[in-house]
Amino acid sequence: MNKPLHLSTFIGCEKPYMEAEVVLFGVPFDGTTTFRPGTRFAMQAIRTDSFGLETYSPYLDKDLEDVSIYDGGDLDLPFGNTEKVLGQILAYSQEVLEDGKKFLMVGGEHLVSLPTIQAAYQKYPNLHVIHIDAHTDLREAYLGEKLSHASVIRRCHDFLGDGRIFQFGIRSGMKEEFEWAKEHTYLERFTLDTLKEKVQELQDVPVYVTIDLDVLDPGTFPGTGTPEPGGITYRELLEAIKHLQSLNQIVAADVVELSPQYDPSGASTAMACKTVREMLLTLVE
Amino acid sequence: MNKPLHLSTFIGCEKPYMEAEVVLFGVPFDGTTTFRPGTRFAMQAIRTDSFGLETYSPYLDKDLEDVSIYDGGDLDLPFGNTEKVLGQILAYSQEVLEDGKKFLMVGGEHLVSLPTIQAAYQKYPNLHVIHIDAHTDLREAYLGEKLSHASVIRRCHDFLGDGRIFQFGIRSGMKEEFEWAKEHTYLERFTLDTLKEKVQELQDVPVYVTIDLDVLDPGTFPGTGTPEPGGITYRELLEAIKHLQSLNQIVAADVVELSPQYDPSGASTAMACKTVREMLLTLVE
Amino acid sequence: MNKPLHLSTFIGCEKPYMEAEVVLFGVPFDGTTTFRPGTRFAMQAIRTDSFGLETYSPYLDKDLEDVSIYDGGDLDLPFGNTEKVLGQILAYSQEVLEDGKKFLMVGGEHLVSLPTIQAAYQKYPNLHVIHIDAHTDLREAYLGEKLSHASVIRRCHDFLGDGRIFQFGIRSGMKEEFEWAKEHTYLERFTLDTLKEKVQELQDVPVYVTIDLDVLDPGTFPGTGTPEPGGITYRELLEAIKHLQSLNQIVAADVVELSPQYDPSGASTAMACKTVREMLLTLVE
Amino acid sequence: MNKPLHLSTFIGCEKPYMEAEVVLFGVPFDGTTTFRPGTRFAMQAIRTDSFGLETYSPYLDKDLEDVSIYDGGDLDLPFGNTEKVLGQILAYSQEVLEDGKKFLMVGGEHLVSLPTIQAAYQKYPNLHVIHIDAHTDLREAYLGEKLSHASVIRRCHDFLGDGRIFQFGIRSGMKEEFEWAKEHTYLERFTLDTLKEKVQELQDVPVYVTIDLDVLDPGTFPGTGTPEPGGITYRELLEAIKHLQSLNQIVAADVVELSPQYDPSGASTAMACKTVREMLLTLVE
Amino acid sequence: MNKPLHLSTFIGCEKPYMEAEVVLFGVPFDGTTTFRPGTRFAMQAIRTDSFGLETYSPYLDKDLEDVSIYDGGDLDLPFGNTEKVLGQILAYSQEVLEDGKKFLMVGGEHLVSLPTIQAAYQKYPNLHVIHIDAHTDLREAYLGEKLSHASVIRRCHDFLGDGRIFQFGIRSGMKEEFEWAKEHTYLERFTLDTLKEKVQELQDVPVYVTIDLDVLDPGTFPGTGTPEPGGITYRELLEAIKHLQSLNQIVAADVVELSPQYDPSGASTAMACKTVREMLLTLVE
Amino acid sequence: MNKPLHLSTFIGCEKPYMEAEVVLFGVPFDGTTTFRPGTRFAMQAIRTDSFGLETYSPYLDKDLEDVSIYDGGDLDLPFGNTEKVLGQILAYSQEVLEDGKKFLMVGGEHLVSLPTIQAAYQKYPNLHVIHIDAHTDLREAYLGEKLSHASVIRRCHDFLGDGRIFQFGIRSGMKEEFEWAKEHTYLERFTLDTLKEKVQELQDVPVYVTIDLDVLDPGTFPGTGTPEPGGITYRELLEAIKHLQSLNQIVAADVVELSPQYDPSGASTAMACKTVREMLLTLVE
């Protein structure tokens, strides 16, 4: 009887940890989400539906079967205690980086990018962040809490400082946030048109890429908690990922804010899956 | 115990009637809808989900918090008696205009634009109408009834006459309707490309804008009763609204035909919410 | 223009606070829910759908129009900080009781009953609790957290002590919980058959009633986060509520764990609405 | 090429009109429905899903294949003009009865039973009505309209008078309606327990049976516009239909208020289908 | 880095094959389903949602943690080639039985019980079958195919012969099937009332139990392809499983016909999960 | 009583077979679909929802009312026996072509195009195929089966040979398939940009057009079994159909892979309906 237990990894990510160049892991946390929760279900849905994809990318002409990726599963997190959650994510990310690997983290709400960016910053003090999103995420606090999905990039600025954050696709925020960004970050409104150019500037520094999938138009990608109309198409996102190939020091990345239950058709989950595949193939050498 | 009852207005529309420059109100009527009813639920869904939006528009650089808008709630309408329903809408619209205010009406099926356009015409006899829609709405009658969502623009022509109606995005109708339009209205098929130019022509006459959200492609905006493929993107609609800023005498407007239950993801409702926000900010000086 | 803003109260609960005998309020919190979140949406759905009910109960022969109930809206809660949330609920409940009123709280996850029962206990030290639920809720801790929906009745026992808690309909828990209950609470497995008899014993002491709607069979009531098959019918719950009429000192109550989005048919929400109506009419003299 | 067009009848109802003993027809009208429309889709869904059933009833030991039933399709109705709609239904029902046939009408909202009961009354002046429903439907008027789904049985009383209406399963209404019923109808609250006995009394008079499917508990049958918890099980409805076999002069019947879109599982539609099959087999000799 | 790959077994079924007393495995096949496919998704959904259950059964007072069960995953099956599929299932079942273990198979459509019952019959020639279902499943052929979900019990009779098949809860079939059953099987219509008595008769012979979950009323359990109203409640099914404890030679069992996507609430899947837990605990000594 | 049975044809396709120039028919088969079944429901949904369309196409300025199309209904197919199914489709297609008519077949999964292309090839040995799809469909076999939706174009190549197949919009496949295509077919990746030019080359040879609707981006068209992000917009598909008007010998066509249940909004079905209308009007002279 040699049938093994069914291992539910992302398609083509079945290498052991020791051999892996890139670690994929999920962070099923949506504990500060105020409007519509559900990103906790993202990674589970992504793993299951990844089997509707091929392992080969005709965009990058690379194949997951040919590279070394370990699917580390999901972190087990204590809901209701945000600080403890962030601590666990930080510890895991640090460990992966210390072992000389890169990672792709899949959220969860955007707040979970805070500890993963922190871990990358600790290892690469010259870290720059490419932030693709519909929202500024630059609030000083939200409902009195400084640790919020609406504040995550502002919290990253706390340690990264000016000139390190590059924001694209932004189409929603308070007026104050747009004003603040003028002083402290690079922010392109509505589109990704300048991404290619900025990638050129960043090609030799360590870069972390955080993709909030709600940058996509909700007409295309309804499976997210805070749908913001007027976003980009999936082909535009694919194009952006192709530009990222020029980065020589991309050290880690994340894909966040899929809420699969808001799109029972599975189309949003399929977009998340394809984004994960393309980003994994971007992270490997 | 000072917690007030929860007032369910559209976000940022909490000014009292007396101080308001613009009145927002809902008309939850879908009584002549033959195919798939449900626009009666639109305004309720729009109010609830408006809290997923910001009050600030980075497109128009205006903020709902800075202007004076009253949310007048929904009209209570007797289903099954279409003439009585239209009479009530007419009376309410007249009252708002007589009080020197503008209004944004949210439907409901498109037939409810008939009395609001009538009210605007009574006050502004030189009224012109910008009509953004997938359908011609120019039938003389539908299933024997002259008061039908498929006839609403034809009924408006009954009193407005030739040269006053400008139709954009139209991609569905009987051959006769397209023929009739050649004589009596301006009709652009499929796109909004000539809207900018027509707005220039209309910039100094009183204009009413009626937006049937099914002008959007149903792939983007499935939450409507009569989905007609081949429509515009949400970014194209945003662009059109920006062009409307050149109108110096926009006197009232409406946004109709959201049927939120056909899009449980909430994406269609989010588009309706953002359209309402942008149109409110267009109506204020 | 005298049309008021639409006040979204539960049907028939429009009395001012000062005159009210009973206060209805919502606690939209599901921050420790590990399996499937969504009870935060319960009260909003209940208010909207309450208009599908009549105000008159033919079961109790009482009418909401004839009694004095204030709908206090929902508490605004900081997600991600459980202790702060519980503190706010406690403060609100204390205030209502100090003003000489009773309350019906609508959750939210079951953890939100902890502060409301605490508030009742502070005012009525001889408090007894009737707990109707599918789950024991008697864990010492869950995922390392003592403040969890799975521990709420155990936490109540911390201050109430033995002999004060009466559990009915329980059909799920760890073996240890069932063992523990034998020493510390009264626990009826699977059904409510002994409720009538226990109510007789409790008729002259202060009683708090907490109804976790997942006591209903999920075939009947699928709109909940942790569906546990084998539960009671809605008619059995109605019967139980009729038995509660014999309680002479019922001081407060709650109805928790509706997650309306898991039952888009609205049937589960309708059951929650009717339970709220019947419990409100039970609380008034 | 002999493949015929697909005739979408209810399963086993393919006899020509001339030979038919019973006529089945649909009335897709929900024009006075205030809360949640959709009964217009009932008959279409019932025809499609009837093919999940067998034609044989083990309850009645009869088979649709062995009897003569014509499926007359659906009436084409002008939405928005209630009086015209009722006139068309009346005319069709009269014609069927004049041709010496019985009918089973499938709604639609309950108001459509008014003209079918009128037609039966015109032919059988001694008509008695068995009314199975959750709601009294005895309002004098609703939102100012006397022709409303909430008034349909009251309108029937206008011509039938006292002693002719027998109501079962009623669990919702205004207090006034319950009071009024004491004088004018036979009304059993909550259950169908006395149906068997009343059928004995009525076995030799002409009887019309109107079944509002919302008599079923919404936990069992969520596919209806006004779900009212606390209803009967489907087995109880089957039992009631078995009792109806004792009626010697059942002249026509209807099954109303399925709204299939509220129950996408198809379970509610399946119950409606089975009820239609059992009622058809009840109507044939 | 010691975090293991996430093993997606049914809750508490993590023993290695060698030590296991019972093997759980899934057969995701619905290739002959004519009406509504989807049972292929059952086992995946059951594994995921099993984590909403406890491992302890208060009904049987046994705990999955205390027994030895191996979750063998799902068979990989070639859709479109029914004979090959059945051959693979047979081979796997034979292997498990030859290794001295029992199994619980989870379908898939009911046809997949044919090879598992065959395997059990090969090992236990005196095999008796307890068949709990809404449908007779006794057709000689369906649409010309002898290998069909509607013929599975008839195919079992081909080798088992008369007096070995005991059917309960049956409420749908052709008249011919009911007639045929009178000669060849024991068949109880509509209910499970005689199950307890029959179990007594069978307590010392080898028994295979096949549970088609559509025996449950679709109002309770809508997640199935051919909903047949008038079925049993979940409590009645639990009661039946308790009666099965008297069987001294229960050698294998299956649970089939969950189609989880027809019940997005998860309630049907929860019932399937609980049935699997109870049947696993029934199979172990 | 002259009301006919309701004939459920596609809108405007009510001509008798003898007079028809084009035959429309459905093939409700998804028996080799491994990922997510449901295309069997496509044609039924398309017929019902076609009544939300007009018969007039403003794109082609033609009207279904003015041409001769027969809706032949759906083939009755034995699930579970793929070879028999393909044989029946072949026979039907041959018969239509022999009668001097063209056809538009609506799937079903893509495998059903194999026999229809075979039939066209038998009549037109110089047949060329235009294949619009997201997937290469060029596998030699899938899960060991040569007759699979993933192999359909490869199977067509078996008899058509090199130089006859023109593929557009392809964005998913194994690396080997893309390599193989370089030798044997014309394959445009990602877009339809070269379609216009290729149509010019093919304007005087017999052409069969097979449209797999999953060429559309799943954000636009989620109603399909294998959503592949990065596809074309519906306006791009409309544009492509306009280019097809230049073909002088288009002999048959198909539209496959709608799975309506994955898009309950109806938007995907509406796109399929409009595609069917445009293709019917393309096939007529």
Side-chain angles (χ1 to χ4, degrees), chain F residues 13-35:
Chain F
C13 295
E14 292 158 8
K15 296 295 182 305
Y17 182 76
M18 296 303 293
E19 300 171 17
E21 181 182 355
V22 176
V23 171
L24 172 70
F25 70 101
V27 179
F29 181 75
D30 54 16
T32 81
T33 303
T34 37
F35 194 51

Side-chain angles (χ1 to χ4, degrees), chain B residues 38-278:
Chain B
T39 58
R40 68 179 73 183
F41 302 120
M43 191 59 190
Q44 188 178 51
I46 287 171
R47 282 200 190 89
T48 300
D49 284 5
S50 68
F51 289 83
L53 280 186
E54 300 284 346
T55 55
Y56 171 68
S57 165
Y59 304 92
L60 306 181
D61 193 24
K62 288 182 183 175
D63 197 313
L64 290 173
E65 301 286 3
D66 301 335
V67 297
S68 292
I69 303 171
Y70 167 76
D71 183 344
D74 289 353
L75 299 186
D76 257 339
L77 301 165
F79 270 82
N81 192 328
T82 303
E83 295 205 16
K84 209 152 126 188
V85 164
L86 299 184
Q88 292 186 13
I89 304 169
L90 180 64
Y92 188 93
S93 309
Q94 288 169 329
E95 194 172 348
V96 172
L97 293 173
E98 279 158 23
D99 287 341
K101 301 171 192 304
K102 298 175 175 183
F103 64 77
L104 180 68
M105 180 271 282
V106 177
E109 60 165 82
H110 211 162
L111 180 60
V112 301
S113 299
L114 176 57
T116 55
I117 293 175
Q118 272 176 307
Y121 169 70
Q122 288 166 3
K123 176 143 187 191
Y124 305 97
N126 189 31
L127 189 75
H128 291 65
V129 172
I130 291 179
H131 171 223
I132 298 176
D133 199 341
H135 304 90
T136 50
D137 287 359
L138 293 173
R139 296 200 181 196
E140 181 52 29
Y142 187 66
L143 296 180
E145 299 292 316
K146 295 186 70 166
L147 294 176
S148 157
H149 60 97
S151 301
V152 58
I153 300 302
R154 182 67 172 264
R155 284 295 82 70
C156 290
H157 180 271
D158 289 349
F159 55 85
L160 289 171
D162 289 356
R164 296 290 187 80
I165 296 170
F166 296 80
Q167 304 181 281
F168 302 90
I170 310 299
R171 59 190 185 275
S172 179
M174 298 168 68
K175 189 165 188 169
E176 293 80 349
E177 294 175 85
F178 283 96
E179 294 298 325
W180 188 89
K182 286 179 188 163
E183 306 290 315
H184 303 288
T185 74
Y186 174 82
L187 185 155
E188 180 184 344
R189 295 191 316 165
F190 310 143
T191 60
L192 313 183
D193 293 349
T194 63
L195 178 74
K196 186 177 180 184
E197 168 196 334
K198 289 296 161 189
V199 162
Q200 296 310 318
E201 294 177 20
L202 298 173
Q203 67 184 330
D204 294 318
V205 297
V207 174
Y208 183 105
V209 179
T210 178
I211 300 178
D212 184 329
L213 289 165
D214 69 18
V215 72
L216 292 162
D217 191 71
T220 276
F221 181 86
T224 194
T226 317
E228 180 66 39
I232 66 171
T233 66
Y234 194 74
R235 284 201 279 190
E236 289 172 323
L237 183 58
L238 277 177
E239 200 59 32
I241 293 173
K242 273 198 271 183
H243 294 322
L244 298 179
Q245 308 311 307
S246 306
L247 295 172
N248 294 320
Q249 278 202 65
I250 176 166
V251 301
D254 64 57
V255 176
V256 299
E257 293 287 357
L258 170 69
S259 251
Q261 78 283 15
Y262 292 112
D263 183 4
S265 78
S268 300
T269 301
M271 290 182 209
C273 287
K274 195 158 178 171
T275 306
V276 166
R277 184 188 74 188
E278 298 296 299

